[in-house]
Amino acid sequence: LEALDRQTGLEGTVVTVASLSDFGTTPAEFETFATGLFNAWGVGHPARNDGFLVLLAVHDHLCRIELGKGFGTRFNARMQAIVDQTMVPSFRSGDVARGITEGTIAIIESLTKPESWFARYPWHLCAGAAIVLCLVAGISCLRSGRTGWGYAFFSAAAILLWFLLRSLGKAQSNSGNRKGFGGGRSSGRGGASGNW
């Protein structure tokens, strides 16, 4: 994690606790506890609001990847896959160290890998394609009247566009150690949780 910070400027920390009850909280408040810890320690670069925290409550069988607000929610699916496919299976088999190590490595690879424009804006691309299809189909309808393939394509494209825009709206509405960390960073809705 120290090498990651030096080489990329990305700060990360891994925290293990025996039980949440040691801190006066409950498993139901696990995500809130993780967010509070992230914010209190100020994980991440202050201008970018990035950084990540891996939190493990061993006796409660809970784990959480908390991401800085700068990442938004676009990495949530990737983080959930890391929790479900890399961390939790190792924890279930009793190999906590392996789950933490491999999970942290997977997080680093996911967050530092260059992200393509297509991967970052999939809904926008789909909506753009549907708009183009609507325009082409609409022109075809104007030329041939309300009959023929143009009208059928226009209807299908309009339905697809409505579905994509509705889905996009729903998606947007849902959407080391502590030494050296400063204040002022904040976690948003980014991250993923799991249990075993």
Side-chain angles (χ1 to χ4, degrees):
L1 293 175
E2 290 177 357
L4 174 70
D5 187 11
R6 284 195 309 271
Q7 295 168 14
T8 69
L10 177 63
E11 290 182 354
T13 188
V14 176
V15 182
T16 59
V17 299
S19 175
L20 294 171
S21 62
D22 297 338
F23 299 89
T25 190
T26 65
E29 300 168 310
F30 182 58
E31 291 187 15
T32 303
F33 179 74
T35 301
L37 189 60
F38 186 102
N39 294 340
W41 285 5
V43 181
H45 188 276
R48 297 189 303 266
N49 266 325
D50 57 5
F52 69 89
L53 177 140
V54 177
L55 176 62
L56 184 68
V58 180
H59 298 315
D60 299 314
H61 301 281
L62 293 169
C63 62
R64 171 88 182 151
I65 300 170
E66 190 77 17
L67 297 180
K69 191 180 257 183
F71 291 117
T73 59
R74 69 183 188 271
F75 287 98
N76 286 6
R78 291 189 206 176
M79 296 303 110
Q80 193 63 59
I82 291 170
V83 167
D84 295 340
Q85 299 168 17
T86 303
M87 299 173 76
V88 166
S90 293
F91 298 155
R92 283 183 180 152
S93 68
D95 197 345
V96 175
R98 179 179 179 183
I100 291 172
T101 302
E102 292 185 354
T104 302
I105 290 169
I107 293 165
I108 291 168
E109 289 175 350
S110 180
L111 296 179
T112 58
K113 180 180 178 183
E115 189 178 15
S116 73
W117 193 84
F118 295 100
R120 188 165 184 176
Y121 301 104
W123 288 107
H124 300 80
L125 290 172
C126 290
I131 289 170
V132 169
L133 185 58
C134 280
L135 290 173
V136 170
I139 291 169
S140 177
C141 286
L142 290 173
R143 288 186 173 179
S144 63
R146 294 178 61 92
T147 61
W149 287 106
Y151 182 69
F153 279 130
F154 181 73
S155 299
I159 292 170
L160 177 63
L161 179 61
W162 175 82
F163 175 77
L164 288 172
L165 292 175
R166 184 174 173 183
S167 298
L168 179 60
K170 285 182 180 177
Q172 288 179 342
S173 66
N174 295 329
S175 35
N177 58 34
R178 63 182 282 188
K179 183 178 179 183
F181 294 140
R185 281 67 133 200
S186 63
S187 172
R189 295 173 294 158
S193 299
N195 58 50
W196 70 97

